Amino acid sequence: MSSLTFESAGVYHRRAVVRRQYQAHQKVATKQNVTAAAVALIDASTARRQAEADVASKSKRSLAILTSAIFALHAYGYYWISQPGNKEALAKFSPMTIEIAPPPPVEKPKPPEPKLVKVVPQKALPIPDHVPVVNTPAETVSSSANTVAVAVAPPPAPPAPPPAPEPVTEPRGFAGYKNNPAPNYPAVAQRRGLEGTVVLRVKVLATGFPDDVQVSKSSGHIVLDEAAIKAVLSWTFDPAKRGKTPIDGVVSVPIIFKI
């Protein structure tokens, strides 16, 4: 068992002093670190608030500019509408309508004028020097023994004039005629503002029903052409006639699509 000497007691005391100094130094360092972190947090919070204030200021300026532009547009619109010429232009606008152009009037063909055939009278044939003697039955011979019969060719009959051809009328039919439905204006064409006039060439049978429908003149938009063809295929027409007899015929049907 060793005894505690004065020297060993001094070392222990010095160690305790160093330990207390180290602990005090650690506390000071910890306080400094905490202070630096708090300052950094305060600086970050201050920067964030400043950025939010800048954004709010920019938003207010943008809102003020937008409000001024809206008021300026309203003022210009009111001034434009107040002009007399612009009011007349606005009055010309009308709601969307589909106009179906009626077919052109059918002109009745004029009956052809009869051709005049000029008949040239035949000149009398000269009697030849040597007249042939025709033997006739005894009952037709006159009492004179010197009587002879002369053969004369009759004049040709004039040709009969050709019969006048019967007048031919074209087929007739349009929207609303015999309950024919008007074409549907396609919704996609309405949204895009598509307009145009399509002319259809329709072959109508003697029964009055369309046999073939073709585009003679396009509206410039396939969707409008197809809508017109679909509608006309369900129509009923008055067939073409030769005199009073129904026959097959062809007619042009114009259809106008207008918004």
Side-chain angles (χ1 to χ4, degrees), residues 51-136:
E52 291 176 353
D54 293 341
V55 171
S57 178
K58 291 181 180 179
S59 299
K60 289 181 180 180
R61 287 197 298 270
S62 300
L63 182 60
I65 293 172
L66 180 60
T67 304
S68 301
I70 292 174
F71 278 112
L73 287 175
H74 279 75
Y76 177 74
Y78 178 77
Y79 171 75
W80 188 84
I81 294 174
S82 63
Q83 301 299 319
N86 296 332
K87 289 184 177 180
E88 295 177 359
L90 289 175
K92 293 181 180 179
F93 287 95
S94 59
M96 181 189 64
T97 57
I98 299 177
E99 298 181 4
I100 307 300
V106 179
E107 296 182 358
K108 296 184 178 179
K110 297 180 179 180
E113 298 180 357
K115 297 182 179 180
L116 300 178
V117 180
K118 186 177 181 180
V119 179
V120 180
Q122 297 290 332
K123 295 181 179 180
L125 297 177
I127 300 175
D129 297 336
H130 303 283
V131 179
V133 178
V134 180
N135 294 326
T136 56

Side-chain angles (χ1 to χ4, degrees), residues 133-190:
V133 178
V134 180
N135 294 326
T136 56
E139 57 271 16
T140 61
V141 178
S142 62
S143 59
S144 176
N146 296 325
T147 303
V148 295
V150 179
V152 179
E166 295 181 335
V168 176
T169 59
E170 293 184 351
R172 183 169 180 266
F174 48 88
Y177 181 74
K178 291 189 176 181
N179 297 325
N180 290 338
N184 291 327
Y185 210 123
V188 63
Q190 297 180 30

Side-chain angles (χ1 to χ4, degrees), residues 4 22 24 46 48 51 53 68 84 88 91 119 123 132 159 170 185 188 193 205-206 229 238 250:
L4 181 63
Y22 176 75
T46 303
R48 184 173 64 255
S68 301
E88 295 177 359
V119 179
K123 295 181 179 180
E170 293 184 351
Y185 210 123
V188 63
L205 300 176
I229 292 174
D238 277 341
V250 178

Side-chain angles (χ1 to χ4, degrees), residues 196-202 213-222 224-226 228-229 252-257:
T197 301
V198 55
V199 180
L200 302 179
R201 183 179 181 273
V202 185
V213 179
Q214 297 180 358
V215 177
S216 177
K217 179 182 177 183
S218 175
S219 63
H221 308 287
I222 297 178
L224 298 181
D225 296 347
E226 292 179 350
I229 292 174
S252 294
V253 178
I255 297 179
I256 301 174
F257 291 90

